[in-house]
Amino acid sequence: IQMTQSPSTLSASLGDRVTISCRASQSIDGWLAWYQQKPGKAPKLLIDKASTLQSGVPLRFSGSGFGTEFTLTISSLQPDDFATYYCQQYNSYLEMSFGGGTKVEIK
Amino acid sequence: QVQLVESGGGVVQPGRSLRLSCTGSGFTFRAYALHWVRQAPGKGLEWVALISYDGNSEYYADSVNGRFTISRDNSKNTLYLQVNSLRPEDTAVYYCARVGGATYHHGMDVWGQGTTVTVSS
């Protein structure tokens, strides 16, 4: 299953509403996770099962979608949010896969 | 605290082998399935392999199938990745990560800090 994220790079300002898209090449129901990764660090799980916010993750993060189209939204961009974001499908445990990543930069 | 710590990375010549380890602490290691995920320099994340909580089931990415072997020793709280016939394109940071629930249908909720493998002559 191929996972396609867009955009690959996003320039935004503090306080902006940011939306990142992730498209699956076939239906994955709701079996999708979102991760945040900062340079030199391991990824951090933000959202599981497309829309379940992990404990401790700020409420400005939200996820939605089902089937092949998914979205990660940051309602008001904060300084700590500048990072790279990845989606990952786990519908098929025979071959799990990540999207190519979206780097959120300061405008 | 809940933690995964990788070790075993290094610089290795093409065609050689290496065994990576990942030791878990702060949780019931034997109750969780585990992944290996890698990241080449400046690139995105690539799923490598998955092993069931009891070690009886293994799944691999096509890019490593037949060359890499995932295994675990629950008595030692340790996950392994045997990497054989290494190629320059295997150069990456290798992370171990925990499946965040009782089935495979969960994201990866705990990650190690990574261990670096460099394949170069």
Side-chain angles (χ1 to χ4, degrees):
Chain A
I1 299 175
Q2 302 299 317
M3 306 300 293
T4 304
Q5 281 183 241
S6 61
S8 56
T9 306
L10 188 159
S11 297
S13 301
L14 293 177
D16 282 354
R17 181 181 181 88
V18 167
T19 299
I20 298 170
S21 296
C22 179
R23 174 177 293 177
S25 59
Q26 64 188 73
S27 177
I28 57 170
D29 292 342
W31 305 121
L32 183 107
W34 288 99
Y35 301 88
Q36 177 193 66
Q37 187 180 34
K38 296 182 179 179
K41 301 294 186 182
K44 173 187 175 182
L45 179 63
L46 298 176
I47 289 170
D48 200 7
K49 295 183 182 178
S51 60
T52 302
L53 201 66
Q54 292 299 101
S55 175
V57 176
L59 295 177
R60 61 182 180 273
F61 289 92
S62 63
S64 63
F66 189 86
T68 62
E69 301 284 345
F70 299 86
T71 300
L72 173 70
T73 300
I74 308 173
S75 60
S76 177
L77 199 64
Q78 299 302 303
D80 192 48
D81 302 338
F82 292 98
T84 301
Y85 294 84
Y86 293 93
C87 61
Q88 179 234 339
Q89 68 83 15
Y90 45 87
N91 177 67
S92 169
Y93 50 83
L94 298 178
E95 182 99 18
M96 299 197 180
S97 50
F98 289 89
T102 296
K103 185 175 183 180
V104 176
E105 298 180 327
I106 300 173
K107 190 172 185 179
Chain B
Q1 73 278 26
V2 175
Q3 198 172 3
L4 293 169
V5 178
E6 301 95 336
S7 60
V11 180
V12 61
Q13 293 179 328
R16 302 299 291 267
S17 299
L18 210 56
R19 189 175 79 160
L20 308 181
S21 300
C22 167
T23 301
S25 59
F27 66 100
T28 305
F29 186 85
R30 65 182 181 273
Y32 290 87
L34 295 163
H35 296 275
W36 285 101
V37 174
R38 68 183 180 182
Q39 187 168 35
K43 302 297 184 183
L45 301 170
E46 181 187 14
W47 174 75
V48 172
L50 165 66
I51 190 166
S52 61
Y53 70 97
D54 58 2
N56 286 339
S57 298
E58 305 161 26
Y59 308 94
Y60 297 93
D62 288 345
S63 58
V64 306
N65 201 10
R67 297 190 300 123
F68 289 13
T69 302
I70 189 172
S71 63
R72 64 191 297 163
D73 184 341
N74 285 340
S75 69
K76 296 181 179 179
N77 285 2
T78 302
L79 170 74
Y80 301 102
L81 186 69
Q82 179 69 39
V83 295
N84 297 330
S85 304
L86 280 161
R87 306 166 179 168
E89 56 265 35
D90 295 319
T91 294
V93 176
Y94 285 73
Y95 296 101
C96 58
R98 188 181 81 170
V99 173
T103 72
Y104 298 144
H105 282 164
H106 291 273
M108 305 175 196
D109 69 339
V110 178
W111 293 67
Q113 84 288 354
T115 187
T116 301
V117 173
T118 303
V119 183
S120 174
S121 54

